[in-house]
Amino acid sequence: MKSHPLSLAQKILRGKNNGEDDRRALIFYEQFKALRAKLEYQVDMKKYKVIAVTSTIAEEGKTFACSNLAANLASVGRKKVLLIDADLRKSDLARYLDISPKPGLTEFLSGSIPLEKIFYRPLEGLYFIPGGGRTSKASDLLAGDKFRSFLNNIRDQFDIVILDTPPILPVADTMSLKDQIDGFVLMFRMRFTPHVMLRQVVEELEKEKIIGVVLNYVEPQKQKYYDRYYGKYYQKISK
C-alpha cells in the first residue's frame, strides 16, 4: 500500500466517505481498532508505558503499522500518545506522517538541538518525534545515557510511548535498547519472513517481553468473504 496511513486515519475520522474505496478503508481501519484494543488491554494490565514496534527483517510493514496504531490510540482520546521514530538508519516514519524528518532524534542525541525543537503534533492527542538525519552510529546513540535519561523522563509526560525501531536481525540497534522497553509488538509478514528467523527473534527478545505478534499481508482466500461479513454493514453506515 502506498497511501500515507495517518492521512487515511484522518480521512476516516472526519467521516469523508466516498464509495468503494472508503468502504474498504473503513474495513482496514477496523483492523487497527481491534489491534489498538488488544494493545490497550495488555498495556493497562501490565502497567507498560514504553512500547516498541519492530520486525525480524526489513519490509514487514512495521512503520506502516506503527503510524496507524499510534493514530488510532490518539483518536480514542483516552491516552496522550508519543510516537518516536527510533529507526535512525532510515527515518521513514516522518514521510508517512507528511512531516520533515529533520531535525529529529539523531540531532537531539548528538547534542546539536534541544528536545523542544523536535516535537510535532500531527493529530489531537498524538505527539511525534522524527528520526532526524540518518546515521551509522544508531546503536551507540540508542544505547547511550542521553537516550536512557530521555525515555525515563518522558514516561511521566505521556500515557503511552510508541517507538518504531529497526528490524532486529540486520542491525543491533533494537537489541541495544531492549532493557529500556517495557514490551514489544512484533510484525510478521506472511509468506515472506522465514519462520526460523522469527523463532530466533522471539528467543532473543524473550517471550515475556513480547506483547504480541501481528500478522501482516494476510489476505482472505476470496474477496467475497469481506463483502459478505463486512461490506454490506459498512455500506449502510456510510450512507
Side-chain angles (χ1 to χ4, degrees), residues 22-190:
D22 288 295
R23 182 173 67 87
R24 299 198 185 284
L26 281 165
I27 294 171
F28 164 85
Y29 188 58
E30 281 298 311
Q31 307 311 304
F32 277 97
K33 284 174 65 178
L35 176 60
R36 179 260 303 160
K38 292 175 182 178
L39 177 66
E40 269 195 307
Y41 174 77
Q42 291 290 329
V43 165
D44 292 343
M45 182 177 65
K46 297 178 179 178
K47 308 297 182 185
Y48 285 170
K49 272 291 189 75
V50 180
I51 307 300
V53 179
T54 189
S55 60
T56 300
I57 55 178
E59 305 299 329
E60 294 198 76
K62 67 175 180 63
T63 300
F64 181 80
C66 195
S67 54
N68 272 285
L69 180 59
N72 207 303
L73 277 165
S75 72
V76 177
R78 288 194 292 266
K79 296 186 185 302
K80 184 180 178 184
V81 182
L82 173 62
L83 177 61
I84 302 174
D85 188 350
D87 193 347
L88 304 184
R89 297 174 191 265
K90 293 188 69 176
S91 300
D92 275 350
L93 192 52
R95 174 176 59 85
Y96 278 83
L97 307 184
D98 293 323
I99 291 174
S100 172
K102 295 187 289 187
L105 189 59
T106 295
E107 288 74 26
F108 166 67
L109 295 177
S110 300
S112 62
I113 198 166
L115 181 60
E116 60 269 19
K117 296 291 186 180
I118 61 173
F119 267 97
Y120 293 85
R121 193 178 182 185
L123 277 179
E124 183 71 27
L126 176 62
Y127 296 79
F128 174 59
I129 295 178
R134 297 181 180 185
T135 176
S136 59
K137 298 180 180 179
S139 292
D140 295 336
L141 291 175
L142 295 175
D145 291 339
K146 189 166 186 177
F147 186 70
R148 185 180 297 273
S149 176
F150 158 71
L151 273 187
N152 286 336
N153 292 333
I154 217 75
R155 284 174 179 268
D156 299 328
Q157 300 178 37
F158 293 88
D159 297 308
I160 185 168
V161 179
I162 301 177
L163 283 75
D164 178 20
T165 63
I168 291 175
L169 292 187
V171 292
D173 305 2
T174 299
M175 296 304 295
S176 70
L177 52 80
K178 174 185 168 184
D179 66 329
Q180 304 176 60
I181 304 298
D182 296 329
F184 287 88
V185 174
L186 185 59
M187 298 297 299
F188 177 68
R189 182 174 173 179
M190 298 290 289

Side-chain angles (χ1 to χ4, degrees), residues 60 188-193 195 214-219:
E60 294 198 76
F188 177 68
R189 182 174 173 179
M190 298 290 289
R191 298 177 299 278
F192 180 81
T193 308
H195 285 78
V214 179
L215 304 183
N216 200 10
Y217 285 81
V218 178
E219 298 180 1

